[in-house]
Amino acid sequence: MEYRKKTVVASVAGLTLEGMDIMFISFAMSMIIAQFHVDMVSGGLISSITNIGMLVGGTIFGILADKYGRVRIFTYTILLFAIGTALTGLATNIEQVYLFRFIAGLGAGGEYGIGMALVAEAWPKNKQGRASSYVSIGAQYGVILAALLSAIILPTWGWRGLFFIGLLPVLFAFIVRKNLGESPVWLATKKERQLLPNEWKLKQLFATPRTSATTIALAVMATVQIAGYNGLMIWLPSMLQQSQGLSVSNSALWTISTAVGMIAGMLTFGQFIDRFGMKRSYGIFLSASALAVFLYSYASGSTAVLLGGAVVGFFSNGMFAGYGALISNYYPVEIRSTATNTIFNFGRALGGLSPILVGSILQHANVSVAMGYLAVLYCVSFLAMISLKKSKSKEIQPKTFSKAG
């Protein structure tokens, strides 16, 4: 297998395992709450603390990957979230659950940006969109895998047995370390620029006014992406049950329909990036997302709700496929992992609070107002996107090394 394909396989597998790890909490939440006799707020803190761990881990491991190499640090992040997941199964109180989920978050947050940097550095620019989309779908594979494992393990071995499955990524880390060579682009860049003085990586994200504006704009876009996804996927089934009178089984069917739309959207968005460019592709999908979400609040009837959910998922989460390529293309090799991890995990941490706001809106208003809020978010992201300006910098092209590894 040529090197560029190896980077996609490794990154897809890594994001699949990460997605599986994160979804374990969703499936095990009620059992954990009952086991430790805590309220819903305390249970909800588990996900929030995981997101904070992702932000911290993304920043730390992004810096380390830029300094010491992609593959070495990538395997360390996989090991860390595997250990954190397995330790969760040994927790004896809710405080230990918080601690172990923070550890798992450290590893999961670091893994995302490093994998995306590997792919960006292995594929030529005219194919980075589709490569990034292939990787992003890994998270959806993780959701499916977590659902299947939960159905098998929870009734027999309980929530602790589910988290012990988290040790499996240790084997994957070993395979990656043995079979995937270091990024040739990173190696060449390190050799070329080794005489330059070392700078604090985070500082370089705000080195100039233009770079600062780019970092802030990308952080806004990442925050909207996560806020929109969480707001839709966590609350919309409940919204539909109330506004449309959907049963639980029908709302589950909606979830499947929306997930299918998301996967199709990711694959399509990757092709859009390669054909039309980053900004034009995001412009089309952000505009369509705002319109689709707003109009969806007026959908009525089972058919309209299911088809509308697929359309909303297609546009709103299809864009997720492009963030690895988007962020990677605005920063040079020496700070690429730092930028991708820090910016996207900031979006995860802040955007992860969106369900709280949506819940508050639903408590005091109605579904139309909540959907209007989500539509406005996509308009804000559109404004941030059109403000992006790319700095000119010399960079080694990945196509030179497409057969390496």
Side-chain angles (χ1 to χ4, degrees), residues 335-405:
I335 61 168
R336 181 166 290 154
S337 287
T338 302
T340 306
N341 267 344
T342 301
I343 291 170
F344 199 78
N345 285 303
F346 174 84
R348 274 175 165 169
L350 187 59
L353 301 176
S354 178
I356 298 174
L357 182 55
V358 173
S360 178
I361 292 173
L362 289 173
Q363 188 173 338
H364 297 95
N366 56 35
V367 173
S368 295
V369 175
M371 297 299 276
Y373 151 74
L374 294 173
V376 168
L377 282 184
Y378 291 116
C379 293
V380 170
S381 185
F382 181 88
L383 294 175
M385 181 275 300
I386 61 176
S387 74
L388 291 172
K389 293 181 180 179
K390 192 171 182 180
S391 299
K392 294 181 180 180
S393 62
K394 178 184 177 183
E395 185 166 319
I396 298 163
Q397 294 301 308
K399 63 182 180 181
T400 306
F401 304 102
S402 62
K403 299 289 185 182

Side-chain angles (χ1 to χ4, degrees), residues 218-236:
L218 289 170
V220 169
M221 292 180 68
T223 300
V224 169
Q225 181 65 41
I226 300 301
Y229 175 81
N230 285 343
L232 288 169
M233 296 304 291
I234 291 176
W235 279 115
L236 205 49

Side-chain angles (χ1 to χ4, degrees), residues 9-263:
V9 171
S11 299
V12 167
L15 202 58
T16 297
L17 293 171
E18 177 188 328
M20 178 191 75
D21 168 88
I22 293 170
M23 285 304 298
F24 278 169
I25 284 295
S26 297
F27 290 110
M29 182 70 79
S30 60
M31 290 186 175
I32 293 174
I33 289 174
Q35 172 89 48
F36 297 122
H37 308 289
V38 296
D39 57 22
M40 297 292 286
V41 174
S42 298
L45 272 175
I46 298 174
S47 294
S48 298
I49 289 173
T50 304
N51 286 335
I52 293 171
M54 287 181 176
L55 176 58
V56 175
T59 302
I60 293 173
F61 288 112
I63 293 171
L64 293 176
D66 285 329
K67 186 172 184 178
Y68 297 109
R70 314 297 192 212
V71 175
R72 181 196 305 181
I73 305 302
F74 184 69
T75 55
Y76 292 163
T77 62
I78 295 168
L79 288 172
L80 191 59
F81 81 70
I83 292 170
T85 302
L87 286 174
T88 303
L90 298 174
T92 58
N93 54 54
I94 194 64
E95 288 78 16
Q96 289 183 9
V97 173
Y98 293 153
L99 173 61
F100 298 145
R101 292 311 301 165
F102 180 79
I103 292 172
L106 290 174
E111 180 273 332
Y112 172 81
I114 301 173
M116 286 299 187
L118 272 169
V119 171
E121 290 165 9
W123 289 74
K125 293 188 182 299
N126 66 338
K127 294 183 179 179
Q128 285 181 7
R130 69 196 72 179
S132 180
S133 69
Y134 299 152
V135 175
S136 298
I137 292 173
Q140 303 302 318
Y141 297 153
V143 171
I144 296 171
L145 185 58
L148 294 174
L149 289 172
S150 297
I152 296 170
I153 294 172
L154 285 177
T156 307
W157 291 291
W159 68 271
R160 296 183 185 276
L162 188 64
F163 286 101
F164 291 148
I165 297 295
L167 284 172
L168 288 179
V170 173
L171 177 61
F172 169 65
F174 173 78
I175 294 172
V176 168
R177 192 63 177 271
K178 184 177 180 181
N179 294 283
L180 183 63
E182 186 53 79
S183 164
V185 170
W186 179 85
L187 289 171
T189 302
K190 181 182 179 183
K191 182 178 179 180
E192 181 181 285
R193 301 176 183 177
Q194 62 184 347
L195 297 179
L196 294 179
N198 288 326
E199 297 182 22
W200 189 39
K201 300 295 184 182
L202 283 179
K203 183 179 179 180
Q204 294 181 59
L205 302 186
F206 302 93
T208 66
R210 174 177 287 190
T211 305
S212 298
T214 296
T215 298
I216 292 170
L218 289 170
V220 169
M221 292 180 68
T223 300
V224 169
Q225 181 65 41
I226 300 301
Y229 175 81
N230 285 343
L232 288 169
M233 296 304 291
I234 291 176
W235 279 115
L236 205 49
S238 297
M239 294 184 202
L240 295 173
Q241 287 177 29
Q242 293 176 10
S243 64
Q244 300 291 327
L246 262 65
S247 65
V248 174
S249 59
N250 282 337
S251 64
L253 187 60
W254 172 87
T255 301
I256 295 171
S257 173
T258 305
V260 170
M262 288 177 178
I263 293 173

